[in-house]
């Protein structure tokens, strides 16, 4: 399948743009050339609803004239000189940015690690259809499932090249395979739906379609006849899927750009205990077959595995070149390309597991709310105030009693982090990975 992407052509495009920009008067510049091909199939009730194949190319040139910068993008590179001249003209009239610039040469990647990013298995539309239909059939066979909300299967291949005017050139190709199924249980106004999915770098690592469908169906049936809770304070356990959102709130708070703008509730907490002792959060750009694994960041900067939180203590921000300069720190290889420049962010970030299973966490809590689904985005990044709609299950004596819905969970992330207890059921498939977590004493608003 790798023959579908011509890396030498991508390298040529990026190099031509860099040279054109230098000829047009840029003091420094970098160019990104990307290409991709994908195929997906959606089915519903045993029939193919949509088959989509997409191919696309894109080039982005970023130029610096002094401390002024501009960027232009194009889907084709018919005239690199014209594109470069336009970018340089734009930069000359842009406001100065004291933190703009390419990465320091001594921070650039010199040796590229060998990473498992590419599976050469190409799937046909017929094969994807069979996968999606198998997942849907398995979901519909679950007792209590009344209809399918649809199933899908897909693969994609992406290639990227980054070239800079100070001599860096790097490239890689990555693959991704995925499938999902949504099941609907019950009838009329009492219907509930839920889903399951999987996404992997290598096709052989995917869960079987039948497993995806069965889990989707079982999750939907479990949600039937939900009850409402009265307002109270209770222990809350987020199952692994929902716990990733808690990790996401941490990621946003330790983003170097947010810290520099003073819009993070953790902006003054570096070196302090943010979580309880023993809690570790690790960001690993070289995770084997990871969803966000990469040999270099969006500026060509080398990166290492970072323990963002060690024994509960906050150790690092995510930093690209600009945010690092603004904070007078050293970038740590967390630049992501997007739009006209870079922004800092995680790679494969993991809240490391604890010792107890989900069942043991529920037994320890005694009674409380097991959250399986979250709604809305009610988090204030400046203050850490937290308010999210939720659904899940009420449990007593460590055992699920009944499904519940239409609940609002409220608190403050500063307090939530300190009380967080991770389980041992880490779901390690995705770029943001977390086990189930328990947080004592949350405010629940019900009916």
């Amino acid at each position: 399948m790798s023959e579908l992407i011509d890396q030498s052509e991508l390298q040529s495009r990026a190099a031509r743009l860099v040279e054109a920009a230098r000829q047009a008067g840029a003091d420094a510049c970098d160019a990104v050339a990307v290409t991709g091909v994908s195929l997906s199939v959606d089915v519903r009730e045993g029939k193919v609803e949509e088959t989509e194949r997409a191919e696309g190319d894109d080039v982005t040139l970023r130029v610096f004239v002094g401390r002024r910068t501009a960027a232009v993008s194009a889907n084709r590179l018919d005239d690199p000189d014209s594109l470069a001249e336009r970018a340089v003209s734009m930069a000359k009239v842009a406001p100065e940015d004291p933190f703009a610039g390419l990465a320091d040469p001594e921070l650039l990647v010199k040796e590229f690690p060998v990473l498992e990013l590419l599976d050469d298995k190409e799937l046909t539309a017929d094969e994807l259809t069979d996968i999606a239909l198998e997942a849907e059939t398995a979901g519909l066979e679950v007792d209590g499932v009344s209809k399918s909300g649809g199933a899908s299967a897909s693969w994609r291949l992406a290639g990227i090249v980054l070239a800079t005017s100070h001599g860096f050139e790097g490239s890689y190709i990555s693959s991704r395979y995925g499938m999902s199924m949504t099941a609907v249980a019950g009838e009329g106004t009492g219907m509930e739906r839920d889903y399951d999915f999987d996404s992997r770098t290598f096709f052989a690592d995917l869960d079987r379609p039948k497993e995806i469908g069965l889990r989707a169906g079982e999750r939907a049936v479990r949600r039937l006849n939900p009850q409402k809770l009265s307002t109270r304070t209770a222990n809350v356990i987020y199952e692994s899927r929902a716990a990733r959102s808690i990790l996401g709130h941490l990621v946003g708070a330790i983003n170097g750009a947010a810290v520099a703008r003073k819009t993070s509730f953790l902006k003054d907490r570096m070196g302090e205990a943010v979580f309880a002792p023993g809690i570790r959060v690790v960001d690993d750009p070289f995770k084997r077959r990871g969803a966000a694994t990469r040999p270099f960041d969006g500026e060509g900067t080398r990166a290492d595995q970072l323990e963002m939180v060690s024994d509960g203590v906050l150790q690092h921000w995510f930093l690209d070149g600009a945010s690092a300069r603004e904070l007078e720190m050293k970038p740590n290889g967390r630049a992501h390309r997007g739009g006209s420049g870079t922004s800092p962010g995680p790679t494969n970030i993991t809240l490391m597991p604890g010792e107890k299973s989900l069942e043991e966490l529920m037994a320890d809590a005694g009674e409380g709310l097991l959250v399986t689904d979250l709604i809305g985005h009610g988090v204030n990044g400046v203050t850490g105030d937290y308010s999210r709609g939720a659904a899940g299950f009420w449990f007593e004596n460590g055992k699920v009693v009944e499904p519940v819905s239409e609940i609002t969970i409220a608190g403050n992330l500063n307090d939530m982090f300190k009380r967080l207890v991770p389980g041992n059921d880490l779901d390690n498939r995705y770029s943001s990975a977390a086990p189930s977590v328990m947080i004592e004493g949350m405010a629940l608003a019900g009916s």
Side-chain angles (χ1 to χ4, degrees):
M1 187 167 68
S2 57
E3 67 273 7
L4 296 173
I5 289 184
D6 186 349
Q7 285 291 84
S8 62
E9 173 59 24
L10 287 182
Q11 290 167 342
S12 174
R13 292 177 194 172
R16 282 153 54 199
L17 272 177
V18 168
E19 180 58 30
R22 297 175 71 174
Q23 293 295 324
D27 296 324
C29 62
D30 62 13
V32 176
V34 298
T35 190
V37 57
S38 64
L39 180 64
S40 63
V41 175
D42 297 327
V43 304
R44 188 187 299 268
E45 302 292 352
K47 297 180 180 179
V48 174
E49 280 199 326
E50 184 177 17
T51 300
E52 181 178 5
R53 182 182 177 91
E55 297 184 21
D57 297 292
D58 186 71
V59 291
T60 299
L61 173 66
R62 183 174 60 152
V63 302
F64 301 91
V65 178
R67 288 295 181 182
R68 305 175 190 271
T69 182
V72 293
S73 297
N75 299 118
R76 299 179 58 174
L77 191 60
D78 297 326
D79 188 355
D81 293 333
S82 176
L83 199 68
E85 289 167 1
R86 180 153 59 94
V88 170
S89 296
M90 291 168 58
K92 287 179 178 178
V93 297
E96 288 197 357
D97 181 352
F99 310 113
L102 297 179
D104 293 337
E106 64 269 18
L107 299 178
L108 297 174
V109 173
K110 303 297 192 299
E111 297 181 3
F112 298 97
V114 177
L115 302 171
E116 294 183 80
L117 295 178
L118 178 63
D119 185 347
D120 232 11
K121 184 176 180 62
E122 181 178 358
L123 298 174
T124 66
D126 287 343
E127 289 173 317
L128 291 173
T129 299
D130 290 342
I131 290 169
L133 288 173
E134 184 180 349
E136 182 179 58
T137 299
L140 288 170
E141 288 176 348
V142 175
D143 188 28
V145 171
S146 54
K147 63 177 66 177
S148 168
S152 66
S154 64
W155 64 261
R156 65 175 172 83
L157 192 67
I160 182 170
V161 170
L162 170 65
T164 74
S165 58
H166 57 5
F168 176 84
E169 184 178 284
S171 66
Y172 60 92
I173 304 176
S174 63
S175 56
R176 203 70 184 166
Y177 303 82
M179 74 177 87
S180 66
M181 193 269 165
T182 299
V184 180
E187 301 290 345
T189 59
M191 289 193 299
E192 296 287 339
R193 69 171 56 218
D194 212 323
Y195 68 96
D196 198 49
F197 70 103
D198 196 11
S199 177
R200 307 286 185 122
T201 300
F202 278 67
F203 178 73
D205 293 340
L206 277 173
D207 288 348
R208 298 303 89 197
K210 184 175 182 178
E211 297 171 347
I212 297 292
L214 285 173
R215 288 199 295 264
E218 290 167 353
R219 289 178 68 95
V221 171
R222 288 181 68 198
R223 296 180 64 157
L224 286 172
N225 303 312
Q227 304 301 304
K228 297 181 180 180
L229 292 177
S230 60
T231 298
R232 66 187 73 183
T233 298
N235 299 325
V236 174
I237 297 177
Y238 295 77
E239 71 165 6
S240 179
R241 182 189 293 184
R244 293 204 300 269
S245 71
I246 302 294
L247 183 57
H249 300 320
L250 171 67
V251 166
I254 60 177
N255 181 296
V259 174
R261 294 192 302 265
K262 302 187 184 303
T263 57
S264 166
F265 66 94
L266 295 179
K267 66 182 184 300
D268 300 317
R269 302 293 301 281
M270 179 67 75
E272 296 183 11
V274 174
F275 290 84
I279 299 296
R280 298 173 59 228
V281 178
V282 175
D283 190 68
D284 185 3
F286 306 135
K287 177 181 174 182
R288 179 176 176 267
R289 302 189 179 192
T293 297
R294 59 190 187 183
F296 54 87
D297 79 345
E299 296 177 309
T301 305
R302 64 176 181 267
D304 297 306
Q305 182 187 96
L306 294 178
E307 197 155 313
M308 308 302 292
V309 175
S310 179
D311 197 24
V313 177
L314 179 59
Q315 303 286 348
H316 301 280
W317 311 125
F318 295 115
L319 297 171
D320 64 351
S323 60
R325 294 183 194 102
E326 188 166 0
L327 293 170
E328 299 183 347
M329 300 179 75
K330 183 177 178 180
N332 51 27
R334 265 60 186 183
H336 292 256
R337 301 297 298 214
S340 62
T342 67
S343 59
T347 58
N348 300 293
I349 187 152
T350 304
L351 171 62
M352 303 306 289
E355 299 178 354
K356 295 185 177 182
S357 67
L358 174 58
E359 292 72 22
E360 288 172 323
L361 289 179
M362 292 171 65
D364 287 350
E367 70 172 21
L369 174 66
L370 173 62
V371 176
T372 60
D373 192 28
L374 288 162
I375 305 164
H377 303 280
V379 175
N380 187 320
V382 178
T383 64
D385 288 337
Y386 177 94
S387 178
R388 298 287 305 272
F393 300 89
W394 185 255
F395 62 90
E396 295 176 357
N397 299 317
K399 302 293 183 182
V400 167
V401 175
E402 58 188 3
V404 292
S405 64
E406 299 183 34
I407 305 157
T408 299
I409 307 174
N412 185 279
L413 288 168
N414 284 295
D415 300 326
M416 293 167 63
F417 288 167
K418 293 290 285 187
R419 300 197 303 271
L420 183 147
V421 178
N424 65 5
D425 57 342
L426 176 66
D427 184 350
N428 206 24
R429 293 175 290 178
Y430 309 109
S431 58
S432 178
S436 298
V437 301
M438 179 173 69
I439 303 175
E440 296 181 346
M442 297 288 291
L444 305 184
S447 57

